Amino acid sequence: MRTLRLMVKEQTPLYIFVAVLFLVGVVFGALIVGALTMDQQQELSDYLGNFFVTVDQQGLASASDSYWSIAALNLKWIGLIWILGLSVIGLPGILILDFLKGVMIGFTVGCLVSQYSWHGMLFALVSVAPHNLVLIPVLLVCSAAAIAFSLLMIRTRVLGQPKRTPITRPFTRYTLLSFAMALLILGISCFEAWVTPSMMRWVTPMLVSVGL
């Protein structure tokens, strides 16, 4: 526990940095929506309209079927961040992933709000926000740990710090943290697969009526 508190204290600036980078991505993603042409906005509106009608009439895939695809997608993010953290050249990739995650969320919410106003915001609150309230901090924690380990690799392998600098213990902490976050991801995926679709079906009829 003491080691965990010390690690969190040491990596606090990294947590702040990746959080700001993610928020910049969210803002950028929302701004992209406003830059779409009229044709692109119409195509987006048609796609969303068809999606909501399908959900309202046919529902979504069963939770047991969608769980593994959701869990696999989320675990890929964790795994990719972990792999990038192991290499000296992986640092930019970690930053790009955090930025892209923010862009994806910002664009999704921006599209819903631009097309459906407060109804879209309500749908975003039940479909995007709940699981991401936990998923995003998990990804940011993994990113901060990956950046810290990558910087350690740079100092020891590139800048030529003494070879006696131990790398085994930081690697073990880094890997165990990533594994713990992966287990948490499995729990978050359960919520996204079983609870989120129910909330989506509750809001979807409102959006269908707005589209009509």
Side-chain angles (χ1 to χ4, degrees):
M1 185 63 68
R2 181 179 179 183
T3 302
L4 179 61
R5 289 198 300 266
L6 180 61
M7 184 175 65
V8 171
K9 183 178 180 179
E10 292 176 348
Q11 296 179 2
T12 296
L14 293 178
Y15 295 144
I16 297 173
F17 176 73
V18 294
V20 170
L21 182 64
F22 169 77
L23 291 176
V24 171
V26 172
V27 173
F28 185 78
L31 292 176
I32 291 177
V33 178
L36 296 177
T37 64
M38 293 299 297
D39 290 340
Q40 291 172 329
Q41 292 182 15
Q42 185 59 48
E43 291 178 3
L44 180 62
S45 178
D46 293 341
Y47 172 80
L48 290 175
N50 292 333
F51 171 75
F52 291 133
V53 170
T54 301
V55 172
D56 186 46
Q57 295 179 354
Q58 302 177 14
L60 296 166
S62 64
S64 58
D65 292 335
S66 61
Y67 171 75
W68 292 111
S69 60
I70 293 172
L73 178 61
N74 291 332
L75 288 175
K76 286 178 182 178
W77 280 87
I78 298 293
L80 186 55
I81 290 173
W82 180 78
I83 292 174
L84 290 173
L86 296 177
S87 62
V88 174
I89 61 175
L91 181 58
I94 300 169
L95 303 180
I96 291 173
L97 285 178
D98 291 334
F99 180 77
L100 287 179
K101 189 65 175 179
V103 171
M104 292 168 58
I105 292 179
F107 183 79
T108 301
V109 175
C111 288
L112 291 170
V113 173
S114 67
Q115 295 294 326
Y116 295 95
S117 187
W118 71 269
H119 293 90
M121 177 60 72
L122 178 61
F123 186 82
L125 288 176
V126 301
S127 64
V128 179
H131 59 274
N132 276 306
L133 289 176
V134 181
L135 178 61
I136 296 306
V138 166
L139 294 177
L140 296 183
V141 167
C142 290
S143 297
I147 292 172
F149 189 79
S150 182
L151 291 175
L152 177 62
M153 294 289 289
I154 292 173
R155 289 196 298 268
T156 56
R157 300 294 184 266
V158 178
L159 301 183
Q161 282 192 355
K163 297 299 182 182
R164 65 177 179 272
T165 302
I167 199 72
T168 304
R169 182 174 295 179
F171 172 75
T172 302
R173 290 203 304 262
Y174 171 51
T175 302
L176 289 177
L177 176 64
S178 299
F179 182 74
M181 294 298 102
L183 293 178
L184 187 55
I185 284 291
L186 295 177
I188 299 169
S189 300
C190 286
F191 182 92
E192 189 174 354
W194 272 275
V195 180
T196 299
S198 299
M199 295 190 293
M200 289 172 60
R201 287 192 293 269
W202 172 64
V203 177
T204 299
M206 304 180 192
L207 299 174
V208 173
S209 62
V210 171
L212 295 175

